[in-house]
Amino acid sequence: TTLNAVSAEQWNTLAGDANPFIQHGFLLALETANCLENYGWKPKYFLIYSDKNTLIGAMPAYEKTNSYGEFVFDWAWADAYHRSGLEYYPKLVISIPYSPCQGPRILAKNNDSEIKNTLIKFALDFSQKKHYSSTHWLFNLPDDFNLLKQHTKLQRFDFQFHWKNNHYKDFDDFLNILKPKKRKNIKQERRKVTDQKIIIKTLKGNELDEGQWDKIYYYYQITFMKKSGTATLKLDFFKKIAPSLLIIFAYNKEDIVAGAICIQGKDTLYGRHWGCDEEYNSLHFEVCYYTGIEYCITHGLKTFEPGAQGKHKISRGFLPVKTWSAHHVGHPEFSKMLKQHLQHEANAMEDYGVDLLKASPFKP
């Protein structure tokens, strides 16, 4: 299946313009830049057309032969299957590859719940027909998640850390609502960067020259090299989505020494990747957090999602937010076992969430 066969205009009419990851151009760029099948993502788009050949329902799905790039971790599930002599892969995943960002997953004309329910049933029936072990909807919005609970026995949640723009006039206005110790720490971290003669610049993706493209892609790659991961996204992919990119560069004199890749939606900035040539004191916090916050304030964006995990973000103004996933596992005994496991997991996560909120940097 390829999105080349689907009208971009009709797809984006269903998707809306708020979330950049569900856009036709973003998903097609993953395909055409060869970021998917070589790494275990085989597109399987679910589509519903009206009798007038108009797209009225759609869902981006992928047959997966591993669990890489999903950010809702089920490696232990796969291991348990394997130890029981069963095959966990392939499975079906409804998500955006390599993107741990909440957003629309089940698209329907006028947000029609009947169309959405049909797509959910379609996916579950397809999984059974293809003998997939399981079906997974990841990083769902609340309305989709509420529908999915009617069709799936297994639900999970985790926490990310998001910054919210409370109509701040400027960065100092944001700092003023923090506890004094947290405010002082952020000021010190920003001062350390300027004391090292580091200059921060932000550019839109379509403003980059070839040298800057090479540099930011190098930073994307080097992070995976350090962590023994795989740089699945190609330079061509980033160039194809250039208008939605915000690139943050750190300069020492004339030389770029660090950079971050963000993706900008209608009212949200998403931090995705970062890298550096060498370590500078507090530069990571400036490039990945503070510059993004300042950009959101200046440009009136409501939310900054700086990426998955990392409770160190709390002290810098990012508060815990639940992210939701829904799962169907075909094997009845495993499904029953996982349901019990997920109940214990949810109880522990609720306690964890309480502890996280206690660390809030904001004044009471």
Side-chain angles (χ1 to χ4, degrees), residues 41 62 64-83 87-94 133-139 154 156 158 309 325-329 334 337-338 341-342 345:
W41 297 80
Y62 300 86
K64 288 298 304 294
T65 54
N66 56 43
S67 294
Y68 187 78
E70 296 173 19
F71 298 93
V72 175
F73 303 110
D74 64 349
W75 298 102
W77 300 11
D79 184 57
Y81 252 67
H82 179 72
R83 284 187 280 107
E87 294 294 332
Y88 190 68
Y89 305 109
K91 62 178 182 176
L92 189 69
V93 173
I94 295 89
S133 71
S134 47
T135 310
H136 310 261
W137 283 264
L138 310 181
F139 297 101
L154 307 174
R156 299 179 83 178
D158 200 348
Q309 302 158 341
S325 61
H327 313 263
H328 173 80
V329 171
F334 266 96
M337 179 184 69
L338 286 170
H341 164 73
L342 290 180
E345 181 183 86

Side-chain angles (χ1 to χ4, degrees), residues 268-284:
T268 302
L269 185 67
Y270 303 87
R272 295 302 302 115
H273 309 282
W274 116 285
C276 60
D277 286 309
E278 56 184 284
E279 296 299 324
Y280 289 84
N281 197 327
S282 300
L283 186 57
H284 173 263

Side-chain angles (χ1 to χ4, degrees), residues 52-218:
K52 296 181 180 178
N53 207 33
T54 299
L55 188 67
I56 58 172
M59 193 166 63
Y62 300 86
E63 178 185 289
K64 288 298 304 294
T65 54
N66 56 43
S67 294
Y68 187 78
E70 296 173 19
F71 298 93
V72 175
F73 303 110
D74 64 349
W75 298 102
W77 300 11
D79 184 57
Y81 252 67
H82 179 72
R83 284 187 280 107
S84 298
L86 300 170
E87 294 294 332
Y88 190 68
Y89 305 109
K91 62 178 182 176
L92 189 69
V93 173
I94 295 89
S95 186
I96 310 300
Y98 320 116
S99 304
C101 307
Q102 291 186 107
R105 297 292 179 264
I106 311 168
L107 308 180
K109 182 180 180 181
N110 300 323
N111 211 31
D112 185 276
S113 60
E114 185 176 345
I115 294 173
K116 290 190 173 189
N117 282 320
T118 300
L119 285 166
I120 296 168
K121 292 174 185 175
F122 189 6
L124 293 172
D125 289 345
F126 184 80
S127 286
Q128 185 176 23
K129 179 182 177 183
K130 289 288 187 178
H131 304 291
Y132 296 150
S133 71
S134 47
T135 310
H136 310 261
W137 283 264
L138 310 181
F139 297 101
N140 304 282
L141 294 177
D143 60 339
D144 286 348
F145 183 70
N146 287 332
L147 277 181
L148 286 163
K149 286 193 290 187
Q150 301 171 25
H151 298 270
T152 60
K153 294 181 179 179
L154 307 174
Q155 292 89 37
R156 299 179 83 178
F157 71 89
D158 200 348
F159 289 101
Q160 288 185 353
F161 304 94
H162 299 174
W163 178 87
K164 296 293 184 180
N165 188 353
N166 192 22
H167 306 290
Y168 301 116
K169 297 191 293 291
D170 51 33
F171 197 87
D172 283 337
D173 193 28
F174 157 62
L175 289 180
N176 285 337
I177 68 166
L178 301 182
K179 297 171 183 175
K181 186 176 179 180
K182 304 298 184 184
R183 180 168 63 245
K184 181 181 178 181
N185 181 65
I186 291 174
K187 286 184 174 181
Q188 286 177 339
E189 288 178 340
R190 301 202 84 181
R191 192 178 305 117
K192 287 174 183 175
V193 173
T194 56
D195 287 348
Q196 294 170 96
K197 310 301 181 185
I198 302 294
I199 302 298
I200 306 297
K201 296 181 181 179
T202 58
L203 295 166
K204 289 288 194 175
N206 49 13
E207 296 175 332
L208 301 188
D209 60 34
E210 284 305 311
Q212 291 168 325
W213 273 118
D214 290 343
K215 197 68 175 176
I216 197 62
Y217 191 64
Y218 165 74

Side-chain angles (χ1 to χ4, degrees), residues 164-324:
K164 296 293 184 180
N165 188 353
N166 192 22
H167 306 290
Y168 301 116
K169 297 191 293 291
D170 51 33
F171 197 87
D172 283 337
D173 193 28
F174 157 62
L175 289 180
N176 285 337
I177 68 166
L178 301 182
K179 297 171 183 175
K181 186 176 179 180
K182 304 298 184 184
R183 180 168 63 245
K184 181 181 178 181
N185 181 65
I186 291 174
K187 286 184 174 181
Q188 286 177 339
E189 288 178 340
R190 301 202 84 181
R191 192 178 305 117
K192 287 174 183 175
V193 173
T194 56
D195 287 348
Q196 294 170 96
K197 310 301 181 185
I198 302 294
I199 302 298
I200 306 297
K201 296 181 181 179
T202 58
L203 295 166
K204 289 288 194 175
N206 49 13
E207 296 175 332
L208 301 188
D209 60 34
E210 284 305 311
Q212 291 168 325
W213 273 118
D214 290 343
K215 197 68 175 176
I216 197 62
Y217 191 64
Y218 165 74
Y219 288 140
Y220 164 72
Q221 290 178 301
I222 199 171
T223 303
F224 288 94
M225 294 175 193
K226 291 177 180 177
K227 295 182 178 180
S228 302
T230 304
T232 53
L233 300 177
K234 311 303 182 190
L235 178 58
D236 187 43
F237 164 75
F238 289 114
K239 288 185 174 181
K240 288 175 184 289
I241 65 163
S244 67
L245 295 182
L246 179 74
I247 306 299
I248 301 170
F249 280 126
Y251 284 81
N252 186 352
K253 297 180 181 177
E254 299 299 316
D255 298 324
I256 300 173
V257 295
I261 299 172
C262 299
I263 297 176
Q264 184 173 339
K266 187 175 183 180
D267 57 17
T268 302
L269 185 67
Y270 303 87
R272 295 302 302 115
H273 309 282
W274 116 285
C276 60
D277 286 309
E278 56 184 284
E279 296 299 324
Y280 289 84
N281 197 327
S282 300
L283 186 57
H284 173 263
F285 304 130
E286 180 61 46
V287 172
C288 294
Y289 307 144
Y290 303 142
T291 298
I293 288 174
E294 201 153 34
Y295 182 89
C296 289
I297 293 170
T298 302
H299 293 84
L301 300 182
K302 295 178 181 178
T303 307
F304 180 23
E305 300 185 17
Q309 302 158 341
K311 66 178 183 179
H312 62 277
K313 296 168 183 168
I314 295 178
S315 64
R316 294 167 176 90
F318 298 84
L319 292 182
V321 174
K322 284 182 177 178
T323 58
W324 301 95

